[in-house]
Every structure is written in C-alpha cells, then in structure tokens.
Amino acid sequence: MRLSLFGAALGLLSYPSLVTAQTYTSCNPRQNTCPADTALGKSASYDFTSGSSSAFESTGSPAYSDDGVAFTVAKKGDAPLIQSKWYIMFGRVEYVIKAAPGTGIVSSAVLQSDDLDEIDWEWLGGNNNLVQSNYFGKGETSPNNRGATHDVANNHDEFHTYTVDWTSEQIVWQIDGKTVRVLTPETANANQYPQTPMVVKVGIWAGGDPNNAQGTIDWAGGETDYSAGPYTMYMKSLKVTDYSTGSSYSYSDKSGLWTSITSDGGKINGNVNADTISSVQSAPTITATVSIPIPWEGTHRETSSFVTPDIWPWVTGTGAATAYSGDWSYSGSGQVQPPSAASVLYLPVYVSLLAICAGFIIPLRL
C-alpha cells in the first residue's frame, strides 16, 4: 500500500501544472559558493538610438532604430530582452521607456540579484495610464502585498523616464522626476529588503498568451490577440550610477545581507555621498496596491521552460508556492536552463502527501 501511494505521489510530481519555478539564478550565493559578479563600479549612459551596446547581452532579437531598442511580440513565443553584463551594488537607474500596447502584453524593467532580490517596473498593454512597481527579497513571494500601481498617462504613446534610486536605507521609484513610491527596510516585508548586487533586465512578453495559466492571463489583463499586433516596447536610453566601486562583488557569507558583500579593488557605497545615504524620503500616496504575487516570465526567464502556476492569486496562505533554490544548468547556447517540470516539488500540499507516503519529509529530486 505504501509503495502504491508513493507511486501516486510521484505521478503527481510529473504533472507540470503542479510545479513552478520563479525568478531563478544560475548560482544562488545563499546555497552555494558562486563566482564573483562583474561590477559596473561607476556611472554610465547608454543611448540605444545609436544601436546596441556591448555592455548588454540579448535574447529574442531586439531591434534598434531612432526610437532606441525595440522589443516586439509579433507571434506566439516572442519574448525579446536585454540584460547587462555588469552588476550594481546599490545605485540609480533611469530608464527612458515607451511601453507596448496590446491586451495581455507585459513590458518590464527589472533589477535582479543572484540570490533573487528584485526591484521592478511593469506595464500592462491593456492600460495606457498606469505602471506597476514591485519588489522581492531572496525569492520570497509572500505575502502578496508588495505591488503598487502609479499614474502615468499615455505610457504606450509617449516616452517617460522611470527611475529607481536604491540604497541601504531606501528604494525610491520616480516617474519623470516625481517620487511615486518609497520603500525602507522597516516598511518592507520582514527580511525581504533588496540589498545584493543586481543586473538590469529589460524586455517584453505575452502574459496573455492563450496557453498560459489562467491566473497569468487574468493578471495580464486578458488574452493576447497576435493577429492585432505586432506589439512593441521601446527603450531610448539607460543611465546608471553604481553606488559602489571596484571590479567585482562577492558574497562573504550566506546571509544575503548587504554588509556581507565585498568589493574587489573598491568599496561598497564608495561612490555615494553621505547625504544620499542619510536622506530618507517620505513615502507619497500610492495610487493603489495590486497583487503581483510572483515574478513572471519575460524578463524573468531566458527559456520557455518557465511555467507560472495556475493559482489566483498565485501566492496565498499555506498553499503558497515557494521559490526554487537548487541548481540550474546552462544550455549549449549559454542560456540558463531551469529544471524540468518534474524535477522539484513546490507546493506544500504535495510535500504533505509525500510525508504521508514516506513517513517523513525530505527534499525530493527525481
């Protein structure tokens, strides 16, 4: 009987809709000893109206024109993005972006670290007047109260400047120079304030693809009609200041605290003055909070293997999916490959089922 139940449990694990990966990393420094992150270590400006930059790598064939780098969804499976080859350890990032229109189309500008800290801007193609801000810490996705919406008229028709100013004391989101949100370690969810070296990712994807989980389609605003496209997001320029200096950043322990980050040949917070660190802004009124419970596809994945769970909202209570913290592998093309859908158990209810079958709980990898 026990063998039969255990076999049934394995069968459940092999069913793709029961498991999910969230934002992921090729090496998580909180679980493993990882290579150092290449540091920007300075200020830099990138004018994409002049073409591509060697400081970024791309997937999905973004194009370049007088409007900058163009990210286009023209057909099922399109999800172009660019990602910086360098990291910043605290800093200021200014994106000049015109978001894509189209029901179900998601434009994204993301800061993300190896241990899954994250600071986001997200635009939905079905709404020309709002943008969403979001954050995650250490891959934790609960509670699902971290997203917020902000007014920005004509975001599909006009370029606007979206800024993230990030220090050990606060994260400030700004639109066209106006502060719309402030997060501090005290106001963030417990132990989830983003504070480790981050890359920049910018891209687009179809959250409303009819084959996506219904929860994803609902959040994205409805199903995407590819025949009405193509749908294009543009980024004209990017300005970055790394508030730390040096050639690379390393994790000295597995705490995930900013005080554990070391710089090779430089200094953490070596490129920021005391006034910037100590001047904590007051949080303005937020337009509305929104449930953005997990990091999504698009900028958050480099392959089509990512599966968003079919749960709405995706993270609630004890039934929450949890972030995968194991190892990821590289494909021959150098793209990060998540484990197969049958590799890891995520949902506690199925962990419980295994406990019943086996008599104790152990991490399971097939």
Side-chain angles (χ1 to χ4, degrees), residues 7-44:
L10 295 182
L12 285 172
L13 289 177
S14 66
Y15 190 68
S17 67
L18 300 183
V19 294
T20 181
Q22 298 173 1
T23 50
Y24 58 83
T25 176
S26 59
C27 185
N28 191 323
R30 298 190 70 214
Q31 279 82 42
N32 303 286
T33 300
C34 301
D37 296 327
T38 299
L40 178 61
K42 61 182 181 180
S43 295

Side-chain angles (χ1 to χ4, degrees), residues 39 41 243-249 261-271:
Y243 283 162
S244 299
T245 57
S247 60
S248 64
Y249 302 127
I261 305 302
T262 61
S263 171
D264 181 13
K267 181 180 178 182
I268 305 302
N269 288 326
N271 194 30

Side-chain angles (χ1 to χ4, degrees), residues 36-40 46 53-58 82-88 198-200 247:
D37 296 327
T38 299
L40 178 61
Y46 303 95
S53 168
S54 61
F56 294 82
E57 56 188 353
S58 64
I82 64 171
Q83 176 177 319
S84 66
K85 296 179 181 178
W86 39 257
Y87 289 68
I88 62 172
M198 297 198 186
V199 295
V200 175
S247 60

